[in-house]
PDB file of all heavy atoms in Angstrom:
ATOM      1  N   VAL A 150     -31.052 -23.787  18.993  1.00  0.00           N
ATOM      2  CA  VAL A 150     -32.282 -23.340  18.387  1.00  0.00           C
ATOM      3  C   VAL A 150     -32.377 -21.838  18.131  1.00  0.00           C
ATOM      4  O   VAL A 150     -33.190 -21.264  17.523  1.00  0.00           O
ATOM      5  CB  VAL A 150     -33.521 -23.652  19.305  1.00  0.00           C
ATOM      6  CG1 VAL A 150     -33.535 -25.142  19.520  1.00  0.00           C
ATOM      7  CG2 VAL A 150     -33.597 -22.827  20.511  1.00  0.00           C
ATOM      8  N   ARG A 151     -31.294 -21.063  18.693  1.00  0.00           N
ATOM      9  CA  ARG A 151     -31.372 -19.713  18.531  1.00  0.00           C
ATOM     10  C   ARG A 151     -31.270 -19.308  17.098  1.00  0.00           C
ATOM     11  O   ARG A 151     -30.482 -19.815  16.303  1.00  0.00           O
ATOM     12  CB  ARG A 151     -30.085 -19.060  19.220  1.00  0.00           C
ATOM     13  CG  ARG A 151     -30.123 -17.440  19.247  1.00  0.00           C
ATOM     14  CD  ARG A 151     -28.921 -16.902  20.146  1.00  0.00           C
ATOM     15  NE  ARG A 151     -29.070 -17.225  21.564  1.00  0.00           N
ATOM     16  CZ  ARG A 151     -28.441 -18.091  22.234  1.00  0.00           C
ATOM     17  NH1 ARG A 151     -27.335 -18.656  21.650  1.00  0.00           N
ATOM     18  NH2 ARG A 151     -28.544 -18.373  23.484  1.00  0.00           N
ATOM     19  N   GLY A 152     -32.201 -18.342  16.744  1.00  0.00           N
ATOM     20  CA  GLY A 152     -32.255 -17.939  15.326  1.00  0.00           C
ATOM     21  C   GLY A 152     -33.276 -18.754  14.440  1.00  0.00           C
ATOM     22  O   GLY A 152     -33.681 -18.256  13.497  1.00  0.00           O
ATOM     23  N   ARG A 153     -33.686 -19.941  15.054  1.00  0.00           N
ATOM     24  CA  ARG A 153     -34.811 -20.710  14.388  1.00  0.00           C
ATOM     25  C   ARG A 153     -36.051 -20.684  15.114  1.00  0.00           C
ATOM     26  O   ARG A 153     -37.092 -20.778  14.529  1.00  0.00           O
ATOM     27  CB  ARG A 153     -34.238 -22.158  14.158  1.00  0.00           C
ATOM     28  CG  ARG A 153     -32.934 -22.247  13.337  1.00  0.00           C
ATOM     29  CD  ARG A 153     -32.659 -23.677  13.037  1.00  0.00           C
ATOM     30  NE  ARG A 153     -32.377 -24.495  14.205  1.00  0.00           N
ATOM     31  CZ  ARG A 153     -33.054 -25.598  14.634  1.00  0.00           C
ATOM     32  NH1 ARG A 153     -34.134 -26.016  13.819  1.00  0.00           N
ATOM     33  NH2 ARG A 153     -32.789 -26.177  15.682  1.00  0.00           N
ATOM     34  N   PHE A 154     -36.026 -20.719  16.482  1.00  0.00           N
ATOM     35  CA  PHE A 154     -37.185 -20.796  17.309  1.00  0.00           C
ATOM     36  C   PHE A 154     -37.398 -19.462  18.003  1.00  0.00           C
ATOM     37  O   PHE A 154     -36.483 -18.677  18.303  1.00  0.00           O
ATOM     38  CB  PHE A 154     -36.966 -21.795  18.385  1.00  0.00           C
ATOM     39  CG  PHE A 154     -36.930 -23.260  17.923  1.00  0.00           C
ATOM     40  CD1 PHE A 154     -36.851 -23.530  16.591  1.00  0.00           C
ATOM     41  CD2 PHE A 154     -36.970 -24.275  18.926  1.00  0.00           C
ATOM     42  CE1 PHE A 154     -36.825 -24.955  16.184  1.00  0.00           C
ATOM     43  CE2 PHE A 154     -37.007 -25.562  18.446  1.00  0.00           C
ATOM     44  CZ  PHE A 154     -36.758 -25.900  17.141  1.00  0.00           C
ATOM     45  N   THR A 155     -38.646 -19.109  18.213  1.00  0.00           N
ATOM     46  CA  THR A 155     -39.062 -17.833  18.903  1.00  0.00           C
ATOM     47  C   THR A 155     -40.088 -18.200  20.006  1.00  0.00           C
ATOM     48  O   THR A 155     -41.165 -18.769  19.597  1.00  0.00           O
ATOM     49  CB  THR A 155     -39.572 -16.802  17.885  1.00  0.00           C
ATOM     50  OG1 THR A 155     -38.647 -16.559  16.915  1.00  0.00           O
ATOM     51  CG2 THR A 155     -39.896 -15.630  18.658  1.00  0.00           C
ATOM     52  N   ILE A 156     -39.817 -17.688  21.148  1.00  0.00           N
ATOM     53  CA  ILE A 156     -40.692 -17.922  22.260  1.00  0.00           C
ATOM     54  C   ILE A 156     -41.429 -16.623  22.555  1.00  0.00           C
ATOM     55  O   ILE A 156     -40.827 -15.650  22.453  1.00  0.00           O
ATOM     56  CB  ILE A 156     -40.011 -18.542  23.509  1.00  0.00           C
ATOM     57  CG1 ILE A 156     -41.031 -18.930  24.563  1.00  0.00           C
ATOM     58  CG2 ILE A 156     -38.950 -17.558  24.106  1.00  0.00           C
ATOM     59  CD1 ILE A 156     -40.425 -19.703  25.768  1.00  0.00           C
ATOM     60  N   SER A 157     -42.721 -16.651  22.862  1.00  0.00           N
ATOM     61  CA  SER A 157     -43.455 -15.544  23.101  1.00  0.00           C
ATOM     62  C   SER A 157     -44.501 -15.720  24.121  1.00  0.00           C
ATOM     63  O   SER A 157     -44.956 -16.886  24.418  1.00  0.00           O
ATOM     64  CB  SER A 157     -44.070 -14.979  21.899  1.00  0.00           C
ATOM     65  OG  SER A 157     -45.010 -15.878  21.327  1.00  0.00           O
ATOM     66  N   GLY A 158     -45.027 -14.744  24.772  1.00  0.00           N
ATOM     67  CA  GLY A 158     -45.985 -14.981  25.830  1.00  0.00           C
ATOM     68  C   GLY A 158     -47.221 -14.071  25.666  1.00  0.00           C
ATOM     69  O   GLY A 158     -47.043 -12.908  25.120  1.00  0.00           O
ATOM     70  N   ASP A 159     -48.382 -14.520  25.984  1.00  0.00           N
ATOM     71  CA  ASP A 159     -49.580 -13.745  25.933  1.00  0.00           C
ATOM     72  C   ASP A 159     -50.139 -13.459  27.268  1.00  0.00           C
ATOM     73  O   ASP A 159     -50.331 -14.313  28.087  1.00  0.00           O
ATOM     74  CB  ASP A 159     -50.676 -14.420  25.104  1.00  0.00           C
ATOM     75  CG  ASP A 159     -50.246 -14.538  23.623  1.00  0.00           C
ATOM     76  OD1 ASP A 159     -49.579 -13.564  23.122  1.00  0.00           O
ATOM     77  OD2 ASP A 159     -50.617 -15.472  22.997  1.00  0.00           O
ATOM     78  N   ASN A 160     -50.334 -12.223  27.663  1.00  0.00           N
ATOM     79  CA  ASN A 160     -50.835 -11.909  28.931  1.00  0.00           C
ATOM     80  C   ASN A 160     -52.270 -12.255  29.016  1.00  0.00           C
ATOM     81  O   ASN A 160     -52.934 -12.338  27.905  1.00  0.00           O
ATOM     82  CB  ASN A 160     -50.662 -10.469  29.220  1.00  0.00           C
ATOM     83  CG  ASN A 160     -49.391 -10.058  29.797  1.00  0.00           C
ATOM     84  OD1 ASN A 160     -48.770 -10.774  30.591  1.00  0.00           O
ATOM     85  ND2 ASN A 160     -48.737  -9.085  29.462  1.00  0.00           N
ATOM     86  N   PRO A 161     -52.987 -12.441  30.145  1.00  0.00           N
ATOM     87  CA  PRO A 161     -52.258 -12.338  31.411  1.00  0.00           C
ATOM     88  C   PRO A 161     -51.695 -13.618  31.928  1.00  0.00           C
ATOM     89  O   PRO A 161     -52.359 -14.402  32.639  1.00  0.00           O
ATOM     90  CB  PRO A 161     -53.499 -11.912  32.290  1.00  0.00           C
ATOM     91  CG  PRO A 161     -54.605 -12.528  31.681  1.00  0.00           C
ATOM     92  CD  PRO A 161     -54.357 -12.576  30.285  1.00  0.00           C
ATOM     93  N   LYS A 162     -50.489 -13.959  31.463  1.00  0.00           N
ATOM     94  CA  LYS A 162     -49.634 -15.066  31.968  1.00  0.00           C
ATOM     95  C   LYS A 162     -50.434 -16.373  31.739  1.00  0.00           C
ATOM     96  O   LYS A 162     -50.367 -17.268  32.447  1.00  0.00           O
ATOM     97  CB  LYS A 162     -49.402 -14.973  33.427  1.00  0.00           C
ATOM     98  CG  LYS A 162     -48.542 -13.780  33.788  1.00  0.00           C
ATOM     99  CD  LYS A 162     -48.106 -13.829  35.226  1.00  0.00           C
ATOM    100  CE  LYS A 162     -47.218 -12.642  35.479  1.00  0.00           C
ATOM    101  NZ  LYS A 162     -46.778 -12.579  36.983  1.00  0.00           N
ATOM    102  N   ASN A 163     -51.125 -16.439  30.563  1.00  0.00           N
ATOM    103  CA  ASN A 163     -51.920 -17.711  30.294  1.00  0.00           C
ATOM    104  C   ASN A 163     -51.337 -18.534  29.307  1.00  0.00           C
ATOM    105  O   ASN A 163     -51.396 -19.777  29.432  1.00  0.00           O
ATOM    106  CB  ASN A 163     -53.278 -17.273  29.806  1.00  0.00           C
ATOM    107  CG  ASN A 163     -54.201 -16.936  30.999  1.00  0.00           C
ATOM    108  OD1 ASN A 163     -53.886 -16.920  32.131  1.00  0.00           O
ATOM    109  ND2 ASN A 163     -55.367 -16.283  30.658  1.00  0.00           N
ATOM    110  N   THR A 164     -50.610 -17.965  28.392  1.00  0.00           N
ATOM    111  CA  THR A 164     -50.150 -18.734  27.216  1.00  0.00           C
ATOM    112  C   THR A 164     -48.765 -18.465  26.784  1.00  0.00           C
ATOM    113  O   THR A 164     -48.471 -17.324  26.630  1.00  0.00           O
ATOM    114  CB  THR A 164     -51.063 -18.736  26.005  1.00  0.00           C
ATOM    115  OG1 THR A 164     -52.402 -19.101  26.301  1.00  0.00           O
ATOM    116  CG2 THR A 164     -50.652 -19.610  24.822  1.00  0.00           C
ATOM    117  N   VAL A 165     -47.961 -19.492  26.612  1.00  0.00           N
ATOM    118  CA  VAL A 165     -46.659 -19.234  26.022  1.00  0.00           C
ATOM    119  C   VAL A 165     -46.545 -20.099  24.695  1.00  0.00           C
ATOM    120  O   VAL A 165     -46.988 -21.293  24.693  1.00  0.00           O
ATOM    121  CB  VAL A 165     -45.542 -19.653  26.964  1.00  0.00           C
ATOM    122  CG1 VAL A 165     -44.172 -19.719  26.275  1.00  0.00           C
ATOM    123  CG2 VAL A 165     -45.390 -18.618  28.140  1.00  0.00           C
ATOM    124  N   SER A 166     -45.945 -19.490  23.684  1.00  0.00           N
ATOM    125  CA  SER A 166     -45.950 -20.210  22.370  1.00  0.00           C
ATOM    126  C   SER A 166     -44.324 -20.344  21.926  1.00  0.00           C
ATOM    127  O   SER A 166     -43.608 -19.557  22.300  1.00  0.00           O
ATOM    128  CB  SER A 166     -46.701 -19.430  21.322  1.00  0.00           C
ATOM    129  OG  SER A 166     -48.006 -19.343  21.665  1.00  0.00           O
ATOM    130  N   LEU A 167     -44.258 -21.362  21.147  1.00  0.00           N
ATOM    131  CA  LEU A 167     -42.834 -21.593  20.596  1.00  0.00           C
ATOM    132  C   LEU A 167     -42.984 -21.796  19.118  1.00  0.00           C
ATOM    133  O   LEU A 167     -43.452 -22.816  18.626  1.00  0.00           O
ATOM    134  CB  LEU A 167     -42.294 -22.854  21.166  1.00  0.00           C
ATOM    135  CG  LEU A 167     -40.792 -23.017  20.818  1.00  0.00           C
ATOM    136  CD1 LEU A 167     -39.849 -22.152  21.427  1.00  0.00           C
ATOM    137  CD2 LEU A 167     -40.393 -24.507  21.258  1.00  0.00           C
ATOM    138  N   GLN A 168     -42.598 -20.744  18.324  1.00  0.00           N
ATOM    139  CA  GLN A 168     -42.586 -20.895  16.940  1.00  0.00           C
ATOM    140  C   GLN A 168     -41.276 -21.458  16.437  1.00  0.00           C
ATOM    141  O   GLN A 168     -40.217 -20.951  16.727  1.00  0.00           O
ATOM    142  CB  GLN A 168     -42.786 -19.459  16.307  1.00  0.00           C
ATOM    143  CG  GLN A 168     -42.730 -19.393  14.802  1.00  0.00           C
ATOM    144  CD  GLN A 168     -43.886 -20.142  14.127  1.00  0.00           C
ATOM    145  OE1 GLN A 168     -44.991 -19.985  14.622  1.00  0.00           O
ATOM    146  NE2 GLN A 168     -43.703 -20.912  13.112  1.00  0.00           N
ATOM    147  N   MET A 169     -41.480 -22.585  15.753  1.00  0.00           N
ATOM    148  CA  MET A 169     -40.308 -23.370  15.295  1.00  0.00           C
ATOM    149  C   MET A 169     -40.138 -23.337  13.841  1.00  0.00           C
ATOM    150  O   MET A 169     -41.020 -23.867  13.148  1.00  0.00           O
ATOM    151  CB  MET A 169     -40.305 -24.832  15.988  1.00  0.00           C
ATOM    152  CG  MET A 169     -40.538 -24.817  17.410  1.00  0.00           C
ATOM    153  SD  MET A 169     -40.449 -26.517  18.027  1.00  0.00           S
ATOM    154  CE  MET A 169     -41.909 -27.246  17.182  1.00  0.00           C
ATOM    155  N   ASN A 170     -39.191 -22.713  13.376  1.00  0.00           N
ATOM    156  CA  ASN A 170     -38.787 -22.580  11.843  1.00  0.00           C
ATOM    157  C   ASN A 170     -37.597 -23.416  11.548  1.00  0.00           C
ATOM    158  O   ASN A 170     -36.743 -23.723  12.361  1.00  0.00           O
ATOM    159  CB  ASN A 170     -38.730 -21.136  11.508  1.00  0.00           C
ATOM    160  CG  ASN A 170     -39.933 -20.270  11.725  1.00  0.00           C
ATOM    161  OD1 ASN A 170     -41.145 -20.935  11.645  1.00  0.00           O
ATOM    162  ND2 ASN A 170     -39.772 -19.116  12.028  1.00  0.00           N
ATOM    163  N   SER A 171     -37.489 -23.613  10.206  1.00  0.00           N
ATOM    164  CA  SER A 171     -36.286 -24.365   9.740  1.00  0.00           C
ATOM    165  C   SER A 171     -35.961 -25.656  10.501  1.00  0.00           C
ATOM    166  O   SER A 171     -34.860 -25.839  11.050  1.00  0.00           O
ATOM    167  CB  SER A 171     -35.089 -23.335   9.839  1.00  0.00           C
ATOM    168  OG  SER A 171     -35.258 -22.240   8.997  1.00  0.00           O
ATOM    169  N   LEU A 172     -36.998 -26.368  10.722  1.00  0.00           N
ATOM    170  CA  LEU A 172     -36.827 -27.571  11.628  1.00  0.00           C
ATOM    171  C   LEU A 172     -35.907 -28.576  10.937  1.00  0.00           C
ATOM    172  O   LEU A 172     -35.923 -28.711   9.780  1.00  0.00           O
ATOM    173  CB  LEU A 172     -38.225 -28.159  11.909  1.00  0.00           C
ATOM    174  CG  LEU A 172     -39.035 -27.495  12.933  1.00  0.00           C
ATOM    175  CD1 LEU A 172     -40.450 -27.753  12.851  1.00  0.00           C
ATOM    176  CD2 LEU A 172     -38.550 -27.689  14.230  1.00  0.00           C
ATOM    177  N   LYS A 173     -35.187 -29.216  11.800  1.00  0.00           N
ATOM    178  CA  LYS A 173     -34.213 -30.304  11.495  1.00  0.00           C
ATOM    179  C   LYS A 173     -34.623 -31.660  12.105  1.00  0.00           C
ATOM    180  O   LYS A 173     -35.379 -31.630  13.089  1.00  0.00           O
ATOM    181  CB  LYS A 173     -32.884 -29.985  11.961  1.00  0.00           C
ATOM    182  CG  LYS A 173     -32.393 -28.460  11.493  1.00  0.00           C
ATOM    183  CD  LYS A 173     -31.028 -28.160  12.162  1.00  0.00           C
ATOM    184  CE  LYS A 173     -30.495 -26.856  11.800  1.00  0.00           C
ATOM    185  NZ  LYS A 173     -29.255 -26.472  12.504  1.00  0.00           N
ATOM    186  N   PRO A 174     -34.196 -32.719  11.500  1.00  0.00           N
ATOM    187  CA  PRO A 174     -34.588 -34.006  12.101  1.00  0.00           C
ATOM    188  C   PRO A 174     -33.998 -34.082  13.582  1.00  0.00           C
ATOM    189  O   PRO A 174     -34.716 -34.807  14.400  1.00  0.00           O
ATOM    190  CB  PRO A 174     -33.813 -35.065  11.238  1.00  0.00           C
ATOM    191  CG  PRO A 174     -33.716 -34.334   9.876  1.00  0.00           C
ATOM    192  CD  PRO A 174     -33.605 -32.839  10.180  1.00  0.00           C
ATOM    193  N   GLU A 175     -32.978 -33.459  13.894  1.00  0.00           N
ATOM    194  CA  GLU A 175     -32.466 -33.577  15.298  1.00  0.00           C
ATOM    195  C   GLU A 175     -33.383 -32.733  16.232  1.00  0.00           C
ATOM    196  O   GLU A 175     -33.122 -32.771  17.479  1.00  0.00           O
ATOM    197  CB  GLU A 175     -31.100 -33.073  15.353  1.00  0.00           C
ATOM    198  CG  GLU A 175     -30.787 -31.742  14.647  1.00  0.00           C
ATOM    199  CD  GLU A 175     -30.293 -31.807  13.263  1.00  0.00           C
ATOM    200  OE1 GLU A 175     -30.773 -32.669  12.512  1.00  0.00           O
ATOM    201  OE2 GLU A 175     -29.316 -31.144  12.993  1.00  0.00           O
ATOM    202  N   ASP A 176     -34.370 -32.068  15.755  1.00  0.00           N
ATOM    203  CA  ASP A 176     -35.353 -31.369  16.627  1.00  0.00           C
ATOM    204  C   ASP A 176     -36.522 -32.362  17.074  1.00  0.00           C
ATOM    205  O   ASP A 176     -37.316 -32.037  17.899  1.00  0.00           O
ATOM    206  CB  ASP A 176     -35.978 -30.172  15.911  1.00  0.00           C
ATOM    207  CG  ASP A 176     -34.943 -29.035  15.579  1.00  0.00           C
ATOM    208  OD1 ASP A 176     -34.116 -28.778  16.506  1.00  0.00           O
ATOM    209  OD2 ASP A 176     -35.131 -28.516  14.548  1.00  0.00           O
ATOM    210  N   THR A 177     -36.424 -33.507  16.487  1.00  0.00           N
ATOM    211  CA  THR A 177     -37.487 -34.604  16.838  1.00  0.00           C
ATOM    212  C   THR A 177     -37.351 -34.869  18.345  1.00  0.00           C
ATOM    213  O   THR A 177     -36.220 -35.297  18.792  1.00  0.00           O
ATOM    214  CB  THR A 177     -37.260 -35.805  16.033  1.00  0.00           C
ATOM    215  OG1 THR A 177     -37.588 -35.508  14.704  1.00  0.00           O
ATOM    216  CG2 THR A 177     -38.260 -36.862  16.458  1.00  0.00           C
ATOM    217  N   ALA A 178     -38.387 -34.776  19.152  1.00  0.00           N
ATOM    218  CA  ALA A 178     -38.482 -35.037  20.534  1.00  0.00           C
ATOM    219  C   ALA A 178     -39.890 -34.776  21.080  1.00  0.00           C
ATOM    220  O   ALA A 178     -40.769 -34.192  20.287  1.00  0.00           O
ATOM    221  CB  ALA A 178     -37.557 -34.094  21.178  1.00  0.00           C
ATOM    222  N   VAL A 179     -40.075 -35.168  22.229  1.00  0.00           N
ATOM    223  CA  VAL A 179     -41.206 -34.679  23.070  1.00  0.00           C
ATOM    224  C   VAL A 179     -40.892 -33.309  23.625  1.00  0.00           C
ATOM    225  O   VAL A 179     -39.935 -33.219  24.358  1.00  0.00           O
ATOM    226  CB  VAL A 179     -41.577 -35.761  24.066  1.00  0.00           C
ATOM    227  CG1 VAL A 179     -42.830 -35.205  24.889  1.00  0.00           C
ATOM    228  CG2 VAL A 179     -41.972 -37.160  23.492  1.00  0.00           C
ATOM    229  N   TYR A 180     -41.793 -32.426  23.423  1.00  0.00           N
ATOM    230  CA  TYR A 180     -41.649 -31.023  23.983  1.00  0.00           C
ATOM    231  C   TYR A 180     -42.451 -30.787  25.097  1.00  0.00           C
ATOM    232  O   TYR A 180     -43.620 -31.053  25.129  1.00  0.00           O
ATOM    233  CB  TYR A 180     -41.867 -30.014  22.801  1.00  0.00           C
ATOM    234  CG  TYR A 180     -40.759 -29.876  21.846  1.00  0.00           C
ATOM    235  CD1 TYR A 180     -40.522 -30.886  20.933  1.00  0.00           C
ATOM    236  CD2 TYR A 180     -39.924 -28.760  21.832  1.00  0.00           C
ATOM    237  CE1 TYR A 180     -39.449 -30.831  20.026  1.00  0.00           C
ATOM    238  CE2 TYR A 180     -38.898 -28.681  20.882  1.00  0.00           C
ATOM    239  CZ  TYR A 180     -38.706 -29.752  19.943  1.00  0.00           C
ATOM    240  OH  TYR A 180     -37.652 -29.626  19.115  1.00  0.00           O
ATOM    241  N   TYR A 181     -41.814 -30.364  26.202  1.00  0.00           N
ATOM    242  CA  TYR A 181     -42.556 -30.114  27.516  1.00  0.00           C
ATOM    243  C   TYR A 181     -42.455 -28.630  27.804  1.00  0.00           C
ATOM    244  O   TYR A 181     -41.466 -27.935  27.716  1.00  0.00           O
ATOM    245  CB  TYR A 181     -41.899 -30.825  28.637  1.00  0.00           C
ATOM    246  CG  TYR A 181     -41.833 -32.375  28.452  1.00  0.00           C
ATOM    247  CD1 TYR A 181     -40.789 -33.014  27.844  1.00  0.00           C
ATOM    248  CD2 TYR A 181     -42.950 -33.054  29.049  1.00  0.00           C
ATOM    249  CE1 TYR A 181     -40.854 -34.409  27.725  1.00  0.00           C
ATOM    250  CE2 TYR A 181     -42.992 -34.445  28.823  1.00  0.00           C
ATOM    251  CZ  TYR A 181     -41.880 -35.107  28.137  1.00  0.00           C
ATOM    252  OH  TYR A 181     -41.912 -36.484  28.046  1.00  0.00           O
ATOM    253  N   CYS A 182     -43.641 -28.113  28.201  1.00  0.00           N
ATOM    254  CA  CYS A 182     -43.826 -26.774  28.770  1.00  0.00           C
ATOM    255  C   CYS A 182     -43.619 -26.902  30.276  1.00  0.00           C
ATOM    256  O   CYS A 182     -43.943 -27.863  30.997  1.00  0.00           O
ATOM    257  CB  CYS A 182     -45.127 -26.223  28.437  1.00  0.00           C
ATOM    258  SG  CYS A 182     -45.526 -24.693  29.142  1.00  0.00           S
ATOM    259  N   ALA A 183     -42.982 -25.782  30.811  1.00  0.00           N
ATOM    260  CA  ALA A 183     -42.651 -25.729  32.295  1.00  0.00           C
ATOM    261  C   ALA A 183     -42.846 -24.344  32.741  1.00  0.00           C
ATOM    262  O   ALA A 183     -42.820 -23.296  31.991  1.00  0.00           O
ATOM    263  CB  ALA A 183     -41.235 -26.245  32.528  1.00  0.00           C
TER     264      ALA A 183
END
């Protein structure tokens, strides 16, 4: 996913986002936050 996805966080440690660009069929999945 490097170069297509970008992860970022918003203080104060409450939210993390994943911007997913140029998506491919093989990106199909259930996505889990941890």
